[in-house]
Amino acid sequence: MHSFVRSGLLAATALGSALPLQAHAEEVPASAAPIATVSATVDAAGADSAAVDGEQRSSAGTGATDQGDIVVTARHRNETSQSVPLAIAVVGGDHIDNTGAFNVGRLQQLTPTLQFYSSNPRNTSVNVRGFGAPLGLTNDGIDQGVGIYVDDVYYSRVASSTFDFLDVAQIEVLRGPQGTLYGKNTTAGAINITSRQPTFDPEGRAEVSFGNYGYVQAKAAVSGPLSDTLAARIAISETKRNGTIWNSTTNKWNNDQSNTGLRAQLLWKAASNLEVSLAGDWSHQNTLCCATVFYAYVPTQKGVLVGGVLNRQYPALYDVAAGKAAGTNAYLTNPANQGFANRISDVDGELRAKQSIGGASLRAKLDLGAGTLTSISAWRFWNWDPSNDRDFTALRITTKSQNPSKQQQFTQELRYNQHSDALDFQLGTFYYYQVVNTNGYQEQGAAATKWLLSPSSDPANVYNLNVLNGLNSTNTIRLANTSWSVYGQASWRPLPGLTIQPGARVNYDKKSGSYNAVVRDAAGNLLTPGMVSTGTPTQKAQIGVLLPESYAPSFSAWNLSYDLTLSYDIAPDVHTYATYSKTFQTGGINLNGVPADATTGLPQTQYQTVAPEGVHHFELGIKSQFFDRKVTLNLAAFRTDISNYQAVFSSNNAASLSTLRGYVANVPKVRSQGIEADFSVRPSERFNAYANFAYTDATYREFTNAPPPIELSGGSTFSGTNCTIPTALPANVSPVSCNISGQQLPGVSKYSLSLGGEGNLPVKFFGKDGQIFLGADGNTRSSFSSNATPSPAATLPGYTLVNFRFGWRSDRDDKGRKIDVYGWVRNAFDKGYVEQLQVAPNSVGLLVANIGDPRTFGGTVKVEF
């Protein structure tokens, strides 16, 4: 048998590009698995219970109790999801695959309080309940507020969320602050991903899918013993798909998919009480991404009327930069300017989203009788090689814009868990070290001068001399990030049904970095900050576009997180809880550039560092099951108050030279509050359904110095704080700041809903027993703001997406073999929708969009043996 498994392991590697692995939750007999969701979803078989590797993993390894409960490791030990006193969404691997949720971006369609935004992998945000990361800006010196963990290893780069899920058993989305056990970077929540572990019983699985747009996805995995004490598992995946946006400038399809993933694991039972796991993974992505499409033009305060034309805004600038007279409205005849629904882009810059991510981890678990000691050591890397079009047009304005980056991290966690009838407790320590090296480059093109400079104030004729053509900036960014913490949590049961759970964590964080932007003109002449005052008109114009800057910020602080949860079991299947937690998001340093003094050109040092966020969180919840656990209903009400909220700013002051892409600073107060309801029903093994609803009211509570909205940006002078958007033509005056207290946080829909279900009938095919099934999943969300300062122009409409699947799956035979064959259609009604808006630089009124996938359809065959 061992030789068979060894051969199978080799075969899986060879077949990796043609066969896929089906990563799904471990099956429980249908009659024993009444529910597949806990605020989540049901898999195709209605069995989302998973084999998870908790601190006290059962020898059976099924991850399910006799009642078919879902087992989670949210508190670093095996527990049923209904008994954990926190709001948690559990999604099994089968449901992930069947609904096409192949990365975190697709996962948001199943968990309504999760929000995912990505203009490219580096500029990706994952938010829960409205919090997590500044929308639309990635800064090496700022941490995310939603922690991503794979097999207990922290992934510091959110770019990992754009990769395909690989050999996943289940995913837990923990909602609300998780600062005690998961650390500082979980002020909004955590995503806890569990992969399938090596087994001593031989098993394998393979899957292949084909679809429109040239979609091909293949996965494969095989697991089994190499000896009586050593087991191995290998999984591989490959995804290819043509682009879904036509680029009329390059005559190429953009936004394709090209992902490869590999994971290998060894499990060594070194002794009866000691298990050691060694895992390594590597994933690679190389796509023509990420093209934007025209969304809208909105008049700003930039420019003045010349012959009835706003000569410094998008329509006129497009005409002039394209070699036509302002006011000819040539931009209207461009097919790429006809709206996002036609899926046409005209960006001329090279597009590339190339990245590799991987690492290795060593986990050892020692059973000491009274408790379990666990050590997790991990090293990870992330290499990012991009190319973007930052002017978002077909014009030669910014010809190159790229920030290649390399990151390495090392983590070490040591924790001890102990269980007794009256008391559970956990003690641990965590160390984290990260190094980031980013080397950016930007170059302006032949149309930059006409686009970015005004001819009305041109004493040296710099406008006609095209002084910006060839202007370039080389940006060198360095970061060393160190964090250390100790933590503890206890669960004390003084009375039957009552549990008191206190927890605390002490963190020390230190960040040191540097930002150095060296600017040269086309002839290679160096520009210096002082030229903002002493330079020639040409040099002043050039520095106004690309700013030379150099500074070396640092930050360090101690912080304390603590929480207290009281839970009480009203009945065996009715659990209530109340939680208060005080935690923080670590402070940061701005490493994208900061505003500079308009007189000296020197960095304004007060913007170099960002203060930590302070988080106060309150939550009440009830988890209940009825009718012999055929119905589950969970409710949660929460309120999260954050002081010193970290948000994206842009300089809007005549005394400052603004950075190109904004910077992060603190907002005094924000708040998110809401209600979540999660319902699922399985009246019989022939039908299951779920519905998950979230109402989220996330607003600025105190933000009196916000940047003006898009409509009020771009003025040549700054005056007052009147932020009423005018109905008349622009006045060329922008407010110094705006009071947006009480307005909506970006990226948050007030209402979101996910729902779905599946029915099946017993049908025998090819002499095999099985079921024919029909399933549907849908999600809907209300409108949301796509800019830090809300405005009508930046508000995106809500949308609804619906997916269907239809097919046949066999019962598992006496040799453990199983086959599924089904067709699927995603975004079945071909809904055109916008995931995120971006604002073109220089306040010209151009809004472009990152749009979601169109209707896709195809078929899948998967086998298990």
Side-chain angles (χ1 to χ4, degrees), residues 106-455:
R106 292 290 185 86
L107 188 63
Q108 71 172 339
Q109 297 182 18
L110 306 177
T111 55
T113 55
L114 178 71
Q115 298 95 32
F116 176 91
Y117 304 97
S118 181
S119 58
N120 63 46
R122 186 171 185 261
N123 288 284
T124 297
S125 304
V126 178
N127 290 357
V128 173
R129 293 175 171 173
F131 299 141
L135 182 63
L137 176 70
T138 293
N139 186 318
D140 289 338
I142 305 296
D143 292 332
Q144 295 274 332
V146 176
I148 299 176
Y149 293 80
V150 179
D151 294 335
D152 287 331
V153 176
Y154 174 59
Y155 282 40
S156 62
R157 303 309 304 189
V158 75
S160 61
S161 62
T162 66
F163 280 102
D164 292 355
F165 292 136
L166 178 61
D167 206 11
V168 168
Q170 74 176 25
I171 297 175
E172 303 162 19
V173 179
L174 286 57
R175 308 195 297 260
Q178 308 296 322
T180 297
L181 296 184
Y182 288 87
K184 58 188 169 66
N185 293 329
T186 54
T187 53
I191 300 174
N192 187 27
I193 301 173
T194 303
S195 64
R196 295 184 175 276
Q197 300 299 303
T199 60
F200 283 89
D201 293 325
E203 68 171 38
R205 57 194 71 228
E207 173 187 323
V208 63
S209 299
F210 298 94
N212 61 335
Y213 292 97
Y215 176 78
V216 178
Q217 185 178 71
K219 302 179 182 179
V222 65
S223 179
L226 300 179
S227 72
D228 292 337
T229 60
L230 186 65
R233 185 179 192 91
I234 294 178
I236 192 167
S237 73
E238 181 87 12
T239 303
K240 299 287 186 182
R241 193 197 67 184
N242 299 331
T244 59
I245 295 177
W246 177 250
N247 190 316
S248 60
T249 299
T250 63
N251 290 324
K252 292 181 180 179
W253 287 99
N254 293 160
N255 294 16
D256 59 338
Q257 292 178 14
S258 178
N259 301 330
T260 301
L262 175 67
R263 175 183 291 272
Q265 301 177 79
L266 290 173
L267 173 61
W268 178 37
K269 292 192 173 181
S272 60
N273 66 339
L274 176 62
E275 288 187 357
V276 180
S277 299
L278 176 64
D281 68 279
W282 174 82
S283 296
H284 181 71
Q285 188 177 80
N286 189 7
T287 64
L288 289 174
C289 184
C290 300
T292 55
V293 299
F294 176 88
Y295 181 76
Y297 157 67
V298 56
T300 68
Q301 299 302 301
K302 187 178 184 67
V304 295
L305 285 173
V306 176
V309 177
L310 287 167
N311 70 329
R312 302 308 303 148
Q313 299 199 25
Y314 177 63
L317 285 171
Y318 185 96
D319 294 342
V320 173
K324 299 181 181 297
T328 57
N329 292 327
Y331 88 103
L332 292 175
T333 63
N334 181 2
N337 285 354
Q338 304 307 308
F340 72 90
N342 63 6
R343 310 188 70 86
I344 296 178
S345 176
D346 67 344
V347 296
D348 65 313
E350 178 188 1
L351 296 182
R352 182 177 65 254
K354 183 178 180 181
Q355 60 172 332
S356 297
I357 192 168
S361 64
L362 181 67
R363 178 171 53 184
K365 296 195 301 180
L366 179 64
D367 186 351
L368 299 174
T372 303
L373 183 66
T374 302
S375 172
I376 305 163
S377 307
W379 165 81
R380 298 204 61 76
F381 72 89
W382 176 64
N383 295 333
W384 168 237
D385 180 15
S387 184
N388 307 293
D389 191 316
R390 287 294 175 193
D391 60 58
F392 309 119
T393 72
L395 304 173
R396 305 294 288 172
I397 302 168
T398 301
T399 57
K400 291 185 180 180
S401 177
Q402 50 203 37
N403 282 284
S405 185
K406 292 187 177 181
Q407 180 252 326
Q408 295 190 64
Q409 69 173 66
F410 172 78
T411 56
Q412 173 63 54
E413 185 168 13
L414 185 67
R415 62 178 182 242
Y416 176 75
N417 267 8
Q418 183 166 311
H419 170 77
S420 67
D421 291 341
L423 178 68
D424 295 337
F425 70 87
Q426 180 178 166
L427 299 173
T429 182
F430 179 78
Y431 175 78
Y432 168 77
Y433 181 70
Q434 176 194 39
V435 175
V436 179
N437 295 305
T438 300
N439 298 287
Y441 182 76
Q442 177 165 328
E443 184 171 325
Q444 304 307 124
T449 303
K450 292 183 178 181
W451 184 271
L452 299 173
L453 299 183
S454 171

Side-chain angles (χ1 to χ4, degrees), residues 299-301 709 711-713 722-733 735:
T300 68
Q301 299 302 301
E711 295 90 335
L712 296 179
S713 67
N722 181 3
C723 295
T724 302
I725 297 173
T727 56
L729 291 173
N732 205 24
V733 178

Side-chain angles (χ1 to χ4, degrees), residues 37 50 106 281 299 332 389 407 414 433 471 529 533 615 635 677 684 719 741 822:
T37 117
R106 292 290 185 86
D281 68 279
L332 292 175
D389 191 316
Q407 180 252 326
L414 185 67
Y433 181 70
L471 182 70
S533 296
V615 182
L635 301 172
S684 74
S719 177
S741 302
Y822 61 95

Side-chain angles (χ1 to χ4, degrees), residues 16-170:
S17 62
L19 296 175
L21 149 89
Q22 170 58 33
H24 62 74
E26 195 74 25
E27 283 201 341
V28 198
S31 60
I35 307 298
T37 117
V38 181
S39 123
T41 49
V42 220
D43 70 8
D48 254 5
S49 301
V52 291
D53 197 13
E55 299 296 351
Q56 301 181 29
R57 180 184 178 192
S58 67
S59 59
T62 64
T65 68
D66 291 339
Q67 291 77 33
D69 292 328
I70 301 169
V71 175
V72 297
T73 57
R75 296 192 292 183
H76 295 160
R77 59 181 183 266
N78 276 2
E79 301 173 281
T80 64
S81 57
Q82 286 296 102
S83 67
V84 177
L86 60 87
I88 178 173
V90 186
V91 185
D94 262 343
H95 196 70
I96 290 169
D97 285 347
N98 292 341
T99 57
F102 51 77
N103 60 23
V104 173
R106 292 290 185 86
L107 188 63
Q108 71 172 339
Q109 297 182 18
L110 306 177
T111 55
T113 55
L114 178 71
Q115 298 95 32
F116 176 91
Y117 304 97
S118 181
S119 58
N120 63 46
R122 186 171 185 261
N123 288 284
T124 297
S125 304
V126 178
N127 290 357
V128 173
R129 293 175 171 173
F131 299 141
L135 182 63
L137 176 70
T138 293
N139 186 318
D140 289 338
I142 305 296
D143 292 332
Q144 295 274 332
V146 176
I148 299 176
Y149 293 80
V150 179
D151 294 335
D152 287 331
V153 176
Y154 174 59
Y155 282 40
S156 62
R157 303 309 304 189
V158 75
S160 61
S161 62
T162 66
F163 280 102
D164 292 355
F165 292 136
L166 178 61
D167 206 11
V168 168
Q170 74 176 25

